[in-house]
Amino acid sequence: MDSSAIFRKKYGSFRRFFLMLGKARLPYLWIAAYLAASVVIANVGVSSTEYSAALFAGNVGLTAVVLPYLFYQLLSLVLGSVSGLLANLCEARMDRNLRRMVWCKTVRLPLRFYETNNPKELLSRITTDISSISGLVMRVFLAVLTTAYSSFVILRKISSYDGALMWSLVAILPVNILISFIMGRLKFGVQDLINRRNAQLTAAIAERTNNLMLIKSMGAEEKEAAVGEGHMRASYRAAGMNIWITGLSLPISAIATALQTVVIILVGRGFYASGALELTQWIAYYGFAVQLTNILSAYCGYWTTFKQVQGSVDRVTEIMDERSEDLDTGEVMGSPAGGIRFEKVDFSFGGTPLFQGLDLDIPAGRITAVVGPSGSGKTTLLNLIDRLYPLAGGTIRVGGRDAADYSLASFRRALGYVTQESVMYAGTIRSNLLHGLGRTPSEEELDEACAAVGILDYVRRQPLGYDAPVGESGASLSGGQRQRFSVARALLKRPDCLLLDEATAAMDIDGKAGVWASIRTAMAGRTVVYVAHDAQTIANADYVVVLRDGRVEAAGEREHILSTNLYCREMMENGEEEN
Amino acid sequence: MKRSGQTEGRAREKFSFRSYISFYTRFPIPWWLFLISLLLGLVNTEVVLAASKYVIQINKGELYNGVIIGYALMTVLTSAISMGINICDEYGTQKVTYRARKLLWRKILHLPMGEVERRQPSSLISGVVNDITQASQVIHTIFATVSSVYGFARCCVEMAKFNARLSAYMLLLVPLAVGVFALVGRLQYRMMLRRYESLNTMTEFFSEHISAVKHVKAQAMEELEMEEGLRAIDERYKADLYYAFMEVLQIFSNTLYTTIGSVAIAIFGSDMIRKGQMPDTGINDFTTYKGKVDQYQAEILTHYQSLKGTQGAMQYVGVLLGGPEEDPEAGFELPENQGNADIVLERVSFGYIPQQPVLHDLSLTIPAGKVTAIIGSNGSGKSTLLKLLQGIYQPDSGRIRLGAAAADEVKPARLRRQFGYILQHNPLFSGSIRDNITYGVSGTVEDEAVFQAARLADADGFIRELPQGYDTDVGVGGSLLSGGQRQRVAIARTLLTDPRYLLMDEAGASLDHKSDMTIFRTVREHMKGRTVVVVAHDMRSVMDADYIIVLACGSLEAAGTHDELLRTSPTYRNYLELQGCALAGEEAVR
């Protein structure tokens, strides 16, 4: 890519960033109040410096100097607090508004987006990236505005003493900016190295600590001690480099500042000696010059922050540019009665085709098992039925109608789908069972659902019953228990069509048998499609579909398929394979 | 295996002052660096004072060449000394960090497994990464405090020399300073805590909900999801608002303190100037000294705060280092001819937490040189039993014997090397496939041996098809390979260690049933004459075992051959029926 293209890209990403900020409903009123406060503070600061200069010069008239000095001191105190509060409030509101916008967008993104992005990274977009963006707006964009205004007010004051003095000062200041910029760059580079080394250390330690059992069972403690030490040494070395860079930067910037101060003093001395400046004005001038130097040194900090936040900005704008799913266009689906028919369905993952011209009939009102070796497309088949992925070609018909005629939301709601992950949320057993149900079932109905999946005893044993907490993501439950609750939740919805993806895989042999008996009763006369790996689970089907490499190898009545299909026969003879 | 109630707050660690000190006695500390830094700090105070004198003169408009040059020289000198201080401090601290980290890492590698689970890996990781960094600050902070106290005293003296009365008025402000400091400290603690908690709650919420997104999409629950997300965001917003007010209150109190100082100087100072008790430009001079005093005072308070801040980390690291540890080399060697001994459990009881025993009073024998299958429902203690066998956990009571040797008296490292252990999901470490296969073997390994192990595990074929063959990187945790590929590499890894006992806990789960069967036929062939213990749900492979153990709720329900169990164990018969193999079994009996 040539340099102009890179430039264009950067330019484009900033344009998109500002467009995004425009959509985010920033707290403009608060920002305006904050800016107004900053304007007042800049002016108060100038007066305050002038009165303290007078005081320092020995001018101690009570009403002329001391009282106004006290007044400005207290005013600065109050105004400083007010503006600090406004800044904090602005940032908090900005955080909230941006986060709301990104979350509302994220929720509506298609499943593929989540599958191709690392969940940890998505999480940090909503949490830390947003915070850095509001930090960028407050501490860089607005700070540049307010400090520019303060500099302007200070310079205007100095020019009121003497115009030439002001221009001499302006001529010296860029040296300071240049030096702090160079030092900032240098430090930024080393800091980057340190962060990388520390990240590597953390990753290495985390990978091993999470698998201590393996290390112990292999007797590899010594080996791992050495590996860990290697990473620790690398991180120590990076820190050592930083020590020298930071260390050396101190005297370098001190020499630069000293030189600059000497020039500032020499310039001022000329005016002071010629009588153009009085003592009070000299003290004020000197104070102002120091203030200006400090303000301008901060500019390199802005640059560093800006560089650091750039990644966050890109990641968040990227999300906002993604296409959301259209959930509501189309007819409202009532009941998905009738069979499911795939007609010449094409589907591919990123360029690799999975299904090409797939034809398949899934009978209505019966239980169908989808089996096949791993990678044959079983889960994808269920996802396509629930319209979680868009088709590349062909049609899926439900009860004879094209599924695409219905609105996504109503369609998906009409089908029940128990996914492989058996999702539980932090909360109580009850809140998990009722999640997304849209009605409040009676206690008897809950008991019935739990009894059907063989977990009622467990609930009864809890001192809090249905109100017992389950921990984050159901951490206090075993895999089998989580699966039981997931099936119970799906049964409470009484869907006309139920999809199950290895929903009983983690249950033990008798548990599985009980749950399948209940599914058969509860879903009598309705359609069930499930993915299974093991002989015991397949035995519950009326109808079996065998997939291999994205093709239907066989489909038909269970007895027939189990005795004629080679894959199934081997599985029934050799035993199960669980997942 | 589920383990509930593993939450043990870090805050409630038992703490003794001794662990604080003992932390610093476990490794050499570069005292000389910290001493040099202290000396430089004392010298620097003098230079700072000298520089202040020039600042005062410049402020008075005494702009002689000597003053300007003196000012410039002193400024540069101070920064040169500060550089020395920084370098010594930082090097000292980094050396301490590095040494302490190595120590803690070794400790963690040798923690008993029960301890690892009680403390949770994530907290151990942040122990090595974050807590150590904080704990290493302590020595440096103590030295820096000494240097700041000296600077504070020295500047107070100079200030008093300049004007004793005005300095005395300033002394009256000290209780105010302490009060403000205490208030600010409390506010700081509270607002940080609230902010931290709210961030955690929000992160937990989004992390849980992002990983559950398929469930949400499948049920079209986006609206509900959005509402709940907005609620989580608003909770964080409320904490931010609280922070906004508290932080301003904090800054206000700090500024109020300095403002009161300036106001007092202005009122009393101007009065003294009018009465001729102080030179005209006295306020300028005094304010400069007062500025230095305030600066050192602030330093002392910051050091105090950071010392307090490191307390938690010190405590954690101290308690961890003082806690239990297993020594892989403590105990007896196993006799060389131990290969074909029975494994005998004598009245073994064990629970992850004392109130909930997983195994009670379990006695059984796993016959040598045979294939033994263990079956039972969820939570019956099958996997726990396998972990006890290799000494990853120790029984609460009872004993495990390998032939004549008591397992708890054998060197843990020796014992574990006798066992190969394959789980349902076996982690790999980032690195090449070859590194992973040779993981458990010390010393160099012949290529041919690696290939042989890979062939046995049916992995050689797919590895050779990869662009870099055995040198292919597997990614963190093996994420660049598929589940089945990972499993095959893990099996090759175990076979290469040439175990005398092979334990398999639902090891076929991530494989196609066909390759599952192929691999296990070869593995079984390879392990012929050695002991194999299999935990499985699949009754067809269970029926093939030489010996079958049925566990129920941590107790032995039955044990024997297939034919014996058909007669004696209703659970066994029930399992066979449920998986549709009862007929075949019964026919065989008849």
Side-chain angles (χ1 to χ4, degrees):
Chain A
M1 196 188 289
D2 66 329
S3 60
S4 69
I6 290 170
F7 179 75
R8 252 202 314 274
K9 186 174 164 262
K10 284 210 157 147
Y11 175 75
S13 82
F14 277 115
R15 212 174 63 95
R16 275 160 42 211
F17 175 59
F18 284 110
L19 281 177
M20 179 192 83
L21 282 186
K23 270 186 261 169
R25 294 202 304 122
L26 297 183
Y28 293 112
L29 264 178
W30 291 95
I31 292 177
Y34 167 67
L35 288 178
S38 304
V39 167
V40 178
I41 284 180
N43 289 298
V44 169
V46 166
S47 307
S48 172
T49 308
E50 279 204 304
Y51 281 108
S52 65
L55 202 60
F56 283 9
N59 191 349
V60 288
L62 190 63
T63 45
V65 177
V66 178
L67 286 183
Y69 170 77
L70 294 183
F71 171 71
Y72 276 112
Q73 281 287 316
L74 294 174
L75 191 60
S76 306
L77 173 65
V78 173
L79 282 175
S81 304
V82 169
S83 114
L85 186 60
L86 286 172
N88 282 349
L89 292 178
C90 278
E91 193 167 342
R93 289 190 85 90
M94 213 180 292
D95 249 19
R96 182 190 62 173
N97 291 2
L98 281 168
R99 204 166 267 146
R100 283 178 158 187
M101 175 181 78
V102 173
W103 174 241
C104 292
K105 178 78 187 185
T106 313
V107 167
R108 289 176 176 276
L109 291 178
L111 185 62
R112 272 312 279 161
F113 176 82
Y114 288 89
E115 288 174 343
T116 48
N117 282 278
N118 180 347
K120 268 193 192 141
E121 206 205 295
L122 283 181
L123 172 66
S124 74
R125 292 191 201 189
I126 294 171
T127 54
T128 45
D129 284 344
I130 293 290
S131 306
S132 1
I133 289 179
S134 27
L136 175 74
V137 173
M138 289 307 294
R139 278 186 287 277
V140 177
F141 294 165
L142 293 187
V144 166
L145 286 181
T146 55
T147 51
Y149 180 74
S150 327
S151 311
F152 164 73
V153 174
I154 290 175
L155 287 174
R156 191 178 58 188
K157 191 76 212 173
I158 295 177
S159 80
S160 78
Y161 300 157
D162 192 308
L165 181 63
M166 191 270 282
W167 288 116
S168 335
L169 193 58
V170 169
I172 310 164
L173 288 172
V175 181
N176 185 293
I177 300 181
L178 187 69
I179 287 177
S180 54
F181 185 75
I182 294 171
M183 295 319 292
R185 269 208 101 119
L186 218 54
K187 280 189 202 164
F188 182 70
V190 182
Q191 197 53 51
D192 201 42
L193 179 71
I194 292 189
N195 292 344
R196 268 209 313 276
R197 289 277 179 273
N198 282 343
Q200 283 165 355
L201 173 69
T202 313
I205 296 293
E207 193 180 4
R208 282 162 182 81
T209 309
N210 285 324
N211 296 315
L212 272 177
M213 175 116 70
L214 171 69
I215 293 175
K216 285 181 181 300
S217 91
M218 287 288 192
E221 285 96 339
E222 276 311 305
K223 192 173 185 167
E224 292 305 349
V227 173
E229 277 166 26
H231 284 281
M232 290 166 192
R233 206 172 312 120
S235 130
Y236 170 70
R237 294 234 171 90
M241 259 176 80
N242 183 43
I243 292 172
W244 288 107
I245 300 261
T246 336
L248 285 176
S249 77
L250 264 177
I252 292 176
S253 46
I255 291 172
T257 316
L259 281 179
Q260 193 177 7
T261 316
V262 168
V263 178
I264 287 174
I265 293 172
L266 289 178
V267 168
R269 181 165 80 168
F271 288 89
Y272 183 49
S274 71
L277 284 182
E278 299 162 20
L279 179 60
T280 307
Q281 285 180 331
W282 154 256
I283 298 177
Y285 159 77
Y286 185 62
F288 285 139
V290 172
Q291 283 173 23
L292 270 183
T293 324
N294 291 340
I295 289 177
L296 294 176
S297 306
Y299 268 78
C300 98
Y302 300 154
W303 183 82
T304 317
T305 316
F306 187 70
K307 280 309 259 190
Q308 283 163 344
V309 175
Q310 221 168 22
S312 304
V313 169
D314 285 348
R315 286 190 290 272
V316 173
T317 15
E318 223 169 70
I319 284 197
M320 295 312 293
D321 287 350
E322 286 286 332
R323 278 182 80 96
S324 331
E325 273 182 327
D326 178 4
L327 291 171
D328 302 319
T329 312
E331 278 175 52
V332 172
M333 171 166 239
S335 155
I340 301 164
R341 166 181 281 231
F342 281 59
E343 286 173 1
K344 304 216 177 322
V345 167
D346 295 332
F347 180 75
S348 58
F349 278 120
T352 333
L354 178 62
F355 296 132
Q356 282 173 305
L358 182 79
D359 288 315
L360 174 65
D361 262 313
I362 293 173
R366 308 186 67 193
I367 300 185
T368 302
V370 181
V371 301
S374 44
S376 58
K378 304 184 292 289
T379 300
T380 311
L381 190 82
L382 292 195
N383 289 349
L384 289 178
I385 295 178
D386 204 33
R387 293 175 65 201
L388 288 171
Y389 302 136
L391 300 181
T395 341
I396 295 177
R397 292 185 188 283
V398 175
R401 282 284 300 270
D402 186 348
D405 290 348
Y406 301 107
S407 79
L408 266 184
S410 69
F411 185 88
R412 288 179 186 163
R413 241 172 255 147
L415 271 70
Y417 189 175
V418 181
T419 59
Q420 220 167 350
E421 296 83 11
S422 59
V423 168
M424 299 289 278
Y425 295 104
T428 61
I429 294 178
R430 187 191 304 276
S431 72
N432 270 290
L433 286 174
L434 301 190
H435 188 84
L437 189 59
R439 64 188 176 92
T440 318
S442 66
E443 211 71 0
E444 289 75 44
E445 203 186 333
L446 282 183
D447 285 353
E448 221 170 88
C450 286
V453 296
I455 195 114
L456 187 60
D457 284 344
Y458 171 81
V459 177
R460 291 260 161 84
R461 274 204 309 277
Q462 303 304 307
L464 293 173
Y466 285 110
D467 296 315
V470 299
E472 192 186 340
S473 303
S476 68
L477 305 173
S478 74
Q481 288 170 330
R482 277 202 293 274
Q483 289 197 330
R484 285 168 207 253
F485 281 123
S486 299
V487 174
R489 175 165 57 201
L491 291 181
L492 278 172
K493 284 199 176 137
R494 303 190 200 120
D496 285 323
C497 175
L498 180 63
L499 313 175
L500 302 153
D501 192 358
E502 301 195 33
T504 57
M507 296 179 201
D508 47 34
I509 297 172
D510 22 3
K512 246 178 228 179
V515 168
W516 274 104
S518 305
I519 292 176
R520 193 162 268 285
T521 323
M523 296 297 293
R526 286 180 277 184
T527 315
V528 177
V529 187
Y530 71 97
V531 167
H533 267 117
D534 59 292
Q536 187 189 354
T537 315
I538 293 168
N540 295 296
D542 302 325
Y543 193 85
V544 174
V545 175
V546 185
L547 282 185
R548 185 186 292 275
D549 301 329
R551 285 176 299 103
V552 177
E553 189 178 87
E557 297 300 319
R558 185 189 73 219
E559 290 309 327
H560 176 67
I561 295 292
L562 291 193
S563 53
T564 55
N565 181 268
L566 186 65
Y567 179 85
C568 288
R569 248 178 33 214
E570 271 178 5
M571 187 188 298
M572 299 311 279
E573 279 158 20
N574 289 334
E576 68 179 334
E577 179 221 330
E578 280 188 29
N579 215 336
Chain B
M1 185 80 340
K2 100 173 165 173
R3 227 172 303 101
S4 56
Q6 55 178 330
T7 44
E8 187 102 355
R10 281 176 62 159
R12 271 171 280 135
E13 296 282 1
K14 270 191 228 113
F15 173 67
S16 70
F17 194 68
R18 207 181 299 152
S19 63
Y20 219 106
I21 295 182
S22 75
F23 170 64
Y24 280 117
T25 52
R26 284 165 200 261
F27 51 89
I29 289 179
W31 292 112
W32 59 281
L33 281 171
F34 293 112
L35 280 175
I36 295 178
S37 139
L38 177 65
L39 281 179
L40 288 175
L42 302 186
V43 173
N44 206 22
T45 305
E46 299 305 321
V47 182
V48 165
L49 276 173
S52 313
K53 295 213 163 98
Y54 290 116
V55 170
I56 289 169
Q57 282 179 299
I58 291 171
N59 263 336
K60 279 183 197 164
E62 295 169 7
L63 306 172
Y64 315 116
N65 287 341
V67 173
I68 297 175
I69 293 170
Y71 167 76
L73 281 181
M74 286 303 148
T75 320
V76 173
L77 188 59
T78 317
S79 71
I81 296 176
S82 305
M83 174 182 85
I85 296 176
N86 270 353
I87 289 177
C88 288
D89 275 348
E90 274 295 309
Y91 257 112
T93 309
Q94 290 298 339
K95 274 185 198 295
V96 172
T97 307
Y98 175 47
R99 289 172 189 166
R101 213 171 241 171
K102 282 202 290 192
L103 195 73
L104 186 63
W105 177 230
R106 275 183 183 275
K107 178 78 187 188
I108 288 176
L109 285 171
H110 291 125
L111 281 181
M113 210 52 213
E115 193 71 3
V116 174
E117 276 150 8
R118 193 175 71 81
R119 290 183 180 281
Q120 298 181 23
S122 62
S123 112
L124 294 175
I125 296 164
S126 89
V128 174
V129 179
N130 304 324
D131 292 334
I132 280 289
T133 328
Q134 282 192 38
S136 309
Q137 299 286 342
V138 170
I139 305 185
H140 146 66
T141 315
I142 291 173
F143 276 86
T145 314
V146 173
S147 154
S148 304
V149 168
Y150 174 78
F152 177 73
R154 194 65 190 73
C155 293
C156 279
V157 170
E158 283 301 308
M159 187 170 80
K161 267 196 220 159
F162 178 75
N163 191 317
R165 231 178 87 201
L166 202 47
S167 302
Y169 289 137
M170 291 299 118
L171 269 186
L172 292 178
L173 288 178
V174 168
L176 182 66
V178 173
V180 166
F181 173 67
L183 173 74
V184 166
R186 283 197 88 124
L187 289 182
Q188 172 90 4
Y189 176 74
R190 265 206 234 156
M191 74 196 198
M192 282 334 239
L193 187 71
R194 169 120 193 235
R195 212 169 194 215
Y196 176 76
E197 278 172 355
S198 74
L199 181 65
N200 264 359
T201 322
M202 185 177 74
T203 311
E204 258 168 38
F205 174 87
F206 284 114
S207 131
E208 193 179 270
H209 284 250
I210 286 176
S211 50
V213 69
K214 186 169 171 188
H215 173 67
V216 171
K217 300 252 144 218
Q219 305 297 321
M221 296 190 294
E222 281 91 347
E223 287 298 323
L224 179 67
E225 194 71 356
M226 201 137 66
E227 271 167 40
E228 288 186 7
L230 293 183
R231 219 174 298 139
I233 290 169
D234 283 349
E235 277 308 305
R236 166 70 179 173
Y237 174 63
K238 277 182 209 150
D240 275 343
L241 286 187
Y242 177 79
Y243 179 83
F245 282 100
M246 285 301 164
E247 197 201 38
V248 167
L249 188 57
Q250 199 187 13
I251 294 172
F252 178 82
S253 340
N254 268 330
T255 327
L256 182 66
Y257 170 70
T258 41
T259 309
I260 290 178
S262 323
V263 166
I265 294 175
I267 293 174
F268 295 121
S270 60
D271 189 46
M272 286 176 179
I273 291 174
R274 269 184 234 116
K275 290 181 183 152
Q277 291 162 339
M278 202 158 72
D280 272 3
T281 56
I283 292 182
N284 170 16
D285 301 27
F286 194 82
T287 307
T288 309
Y289 286 123
K290 175 78 180 3
K292 289 294 158 203
V293 169
D294 282 351
Q295 193 184 319
Y296 279 116
Q297 181 179 315
E299 270 179 35
I300 297 173
L301 299 183
T302 319
H303 293 326
Y304 176 77
Q305 283 280 21
S306 67
L307 269 183
K308 255 182 81 174
T310 57
Q311 209 173 315
M314 281 293 294
Q315 223 162 303
Y316 182 70
V317 173
V319 172
L320 197 60
L321 283 176
E325 174 171 352
E326 48 177 37
D327 180 354
E329 297 302 329
F332 299 107
E333 285 289 342
L334 266 183
E336 271 310 308
N337 56 354
Q338 223 9 119
N340 280 333
D342 289 353
I343 303 174
V344 182
L345 271 73
E346 293 171 355
R347 313 200 58 180
V348 167
S349 294
F350 174 78
Y352 293 98
I353 37 176
Q355 301 83 359
Q356 294 181 6
V358 179
L359 301 177
H360 343 238
D361 205 14
L362 183 65
S363 298
L364 53 84
T365 301
I366 296 172
K370 294 194 171 156
V371 177
T372 300
I374 304 179
I375 58 171
S377 55
N378 289 352
S380 58
K382 306 182 294 285
S383 308
T384 309
L385 177 59
L386 294 195
K387 289 175 196 161
L388 282 169
L389 291 184
Q390 8 169 12
I392 283 179
Y393 299 106
Q394 294 298 328
D396 295 334
S397 65
R399 184 158 254 194
I400 299 173
R401 290 185 184 281
L402 297 184
D408 52 322
E409 288 172 358
V410 177
K411 288 182 178 178
R414 271 314 279 149
L415 181 71
R416 287 174 194 157
R417 253 171 253 146
Q418 305 293 310
F419 287 95
Y421 185 33
I422 309 173
L423 290 148
Q424 184 173 1
H425 299 286
N426 293 284
L428 300 184
F429 287 120
S430 32
S432 71
I433 290 183
R434 195 178 191 287
D435 291 346
N436 271 290
I437 294 182
T438 60
Y439 184 79
V441 190
S442 42
T444 48
V445 185
E446 295 285 316
D447 278 350
E448 196 38 54
V450 177
F451 301 156
Q452 173 64 25
R455 271 196 291 272
L456 276 175
D458 194 22
D460 189 62
F462 92 82
I463 297 173
R464 283 183 195 279
E465 277 173 23
L466 294 170
Q468 282 155 305
Y470 281 85
D471 295 321
T472 308
D473 185 60
V474 301
V476 178
S479 56
L480 300 180
L481 301 182
S482 78
Q485 292 173 332
R486 268 204 294 279
Q487 194 68 345
R488 281 170 235 218
V489 172
I491 292 171
R493 171 174 72 187
T494 306
L495 292 180
L496 193 62
T497 62
D498 197 23
R500 291 182 184 178
Y501 303 91
L502 183 64
L503 313 179
M504 297 196 283
D505 194 346
E506 305 198 31
S510 20
L511 297 171
D512 263 43
H513 76 159
K514 201 168 171 184
S515 39
D516 178 9
M517 295 322 283
T518 343
I519 293 173
F520 287 110
R521 233 164 259 145
T522 15
V523 169
R524 215 174 261 192
E525 194 61 32
H526 178 73
M527 291 295 294
K528 201 161 199 163
R530 282 180 275 187
T531 314
V532 179
V533 186
V534 185
V535 166
H537 275 151
D538 152 29
M539 297 308 287
R540 281 168 189 80
S541 62
V542 170
M543 287 192 308
D544 287 345
D546 302 317
Y547 190 70
I548 300 161
I549 293 172
V550 185
L551 287 185
C553 301
S555 303
L556 183 67
E557 189 187 286
T561 62
H562 169 71
D563 293 342
E564 288 165 2
L565 288 182
L566 274 183
R567 286 192 299 273
T568 56
S569 169
T571 310
Y572 186 68
R573 286 179 58 97
N574 182 29
Y575 279 9
L576 287 176
E577 265 165 39
L578 288 172
Q579 291 204 343
C581 19
L583 273 179
E586 278 168 355
E587 273 163 13
V589 175
R590 282 171 203 149

